[in-house]
Amino acid sequence: MVRLYCEEHIGLKKWSERTADQSRKIFELIVDLLEDRPIHEISKADIRTLGAQMLDLPKNMAKIFPGLTPRQILAAAASRPELPRLQPRSINKNYQYVRSLFLWAMDHDHLTQNPATILRDVNEGRAQDARKALDDDDIEKFFGYAAQHAKEPYELWIPRIMAFTGCRMGEAARLERRDVRQVEGLWVFDINSDHPEKRVKTENSLRLIPVHPRLVELGLLDFVRSSPEGFLFPRRIRYVDDPKRSPVDLLSKQLGRWLRSAGIEDKRKQVQSFRETMATKLKDLGTPEYQIAEILGHENSNISTGRYGKHTKLGTLHDALAKVCLPI
């Protein structure tokens, strides 16, 4: 069942190669803990046991117990309570894979009942290193440091675009000149997968994000117009040939160093925290959850506005974004 699930997601290009590799590893863990048996034999009691086992798995288990299976690791870790366990965020990610697999099996008539519905996420508030939104003081410090140390346009424009859209680092880094265009009279960022080097995380990642007025004031359109056709930023910071590595690995490390050098020491605050920052700002302004999901490229779980609803008008999304003020 896992093989069929993965083949469909890869065949329909719902996953990048990197996501597919990560997904296979998570499913190897799930299959070992549930044991490789027909999916219809798995009960709610089995799912409860699986949920509890996830809580007992140690962090960095493959490094601490090389060569052991997950079930063997559980047995070995039982006598070592001092070992840090999986972070809530990782546990919830594993839970989501379980739920998705069983829901898919239901949708494809392999099951008549879904035992995974009982699996509930753990409270991520206990995670000491969960990503945390940047506050205005953090943003001022980071961009102040960047202004002093930037030697190439990408070092300023990629963080600016991330900050004013909430987009992922890779989405900003892989923008082409043609991706900054006008739709319905508004300038937008077209997040797409229309090039072999482009990768998107999910189908919901394909979207149009209105350009924030502040980016225009900072000279974004002038920068785009003065750029040659093709990608706006250098290949070395937006793509790697190894599909199992993050395409923006070098860029992430560089901007991460700048963040720490700027005096932001809380490890829960990362450059990617601009996504949390934008989500927080929009929520504080009363923006509906489904509009935030459209801007950030998240799945909208609300049936009426998600599965059956229409996309929000670009003008409405533009107005929501334009209300967000950042000290940049």
Side-chain angles (χ1 to χ4, degrees), residues 1-187:
M1 200 59 55
V2 166
R3 179 179 57 80
L4 292 173
Y5 178 88
C6 292
E7 286 177 354
E8 178 178 295
H9 280 65
I10 294 170
L12 295 177
K13 297 184 178 180
K14 293 183 177 181
W15 290 343
S16 66
E17 289 186 57
R18 181 167 175 256
T19 301
D21 184 64
Q22 292 174 341
S23 300
R24 290 191 190 98
K25 291 178 181 177
I26 292 174
F27 277 128
E28 287 174 4
L29 167 69
I30 293 167
V31 169
D32 184 77
L33 294 179
L34 282 175
E35 299 183 276
D36 194 1
R37 48 184 165 148
I39 196 168
H40 67 267
E41 292 183 3
I42 296 172
S43 65
K44 289 183 178 180
D46 295 322
I47 296 295
R48 289 192 189 94
T49 300
L50 174 68
Q53 289 172 325
M54 292 285 187
L55 297 173
D56 290 333
L57 285 170
K59 183 180 177 182
N60 299 320
M61 64 185 101
K63 293 181 180 178
I64 300 172
F65 300 104
L68 298 188
T69 67
R71 296 176 72 84
Q72 292 170 336
I73 289 172
L74 274 174
S79 60
R80 298 183 61 181
E82 78 282 359
L83 289 176
R85 265 38 187 183
L86 282 183
Q87 300 164 2
R89 199 172 205 176
S90 298
I91 293 168
N92 288 341
K93 185 176 183 179
N94 294 345
Y95 284 178
Q96 183 56 44
Y97 271 85
V98 176
R99 290 192 294 261
S100 296
L101 174 67
F102 279 82
L103 182 60
W104 180 89
M106 284 278 292
D107 290 343
H108 289 72
D109 298 324
H110 296 293
L111 289 175
T112 56
Q113 293 184 334
N114 183 359
T117 56
I118 66 166
L119 204 54
R120 298 287 185 267
D121 284 351
V122 298
N123 181 6
E124 291 192 15
R126 292 181 291 119
Q128 295 303 305
D129 56 350
R131 210 155 62 198
K132 186 177 178 181
L134 301 169
D135 57 37
D136 285 354
D137 185 55
D138 298 326
I139 295 171
E140 281 193 90
K141 288 179 179 178
F142 174 79
F143 280 98
Y145 185 91
Q148 293 179 1
H149 293 82
K151 297 180 181 178
E152 297 184 59
Y154 80 85
E155 295 170 315
L156 283 178
W157 281 116
I158 290 177
R160 285 173 177 172
I161 292 169
M162 291 173 64
F164 281 110
T165 63
C167 72
R168 299 174 178 89
M169 185 180 295
E171 293 171 343
R174 291 190 290 271
L175 285 169
E176 297 180 74
R177 179 178 174 179
R178 65 190 174 102
D179 295 334
V180 184
R181 58 191 181 90
Q182 283 190 302
V183 178
E184 299 175 8
L186 294 170
W187 285 98

Side-chain angles (χ1 to χ4, degrees), residues 257-272:
R257 289 193 298 269
W258 282 16
L259 195 73
R260 300 294 170 244
S261 297
I264 302 161
E265 298 178 356
D266 188 340
K267 292 184 178 180
R268 294 172 296 177
K269 295 181 177 182
Q270 305 163 22
V271 178
Q272 293 88 339

Side-chain angles (χ1 to χ4, degrees), residues 162-209:
M162 291 173 64
F164 281 110
T165 63
C167 72
R168 299 174 178 89
M169 185 180 295
E171 293 171 343
R174 291 190 290 271
L175 285 169
E176 297 180 74
R177 179 178 174 179
R178 65 190 174 102
D179 295 334
V180 184
R181 58 191 181 90
Q182 283 190 302
V183 178
E184 299 175 8
L186 294 170
W187 285 98
V188 300
F189 295 106
D190 183 349
I191 308 299
N192 61 69
S193 57
D194 296 341
H195 188 283
E197 291 185 8
K198 289 184 177 181
R199 304 177 189 175
V200 292
K201 191 169 184 179
T202 66
E203 288 184 12
N204 297 293
S205 301
L206 302 171
R207 64 200 189 281
L208 299 176
I209 311 174

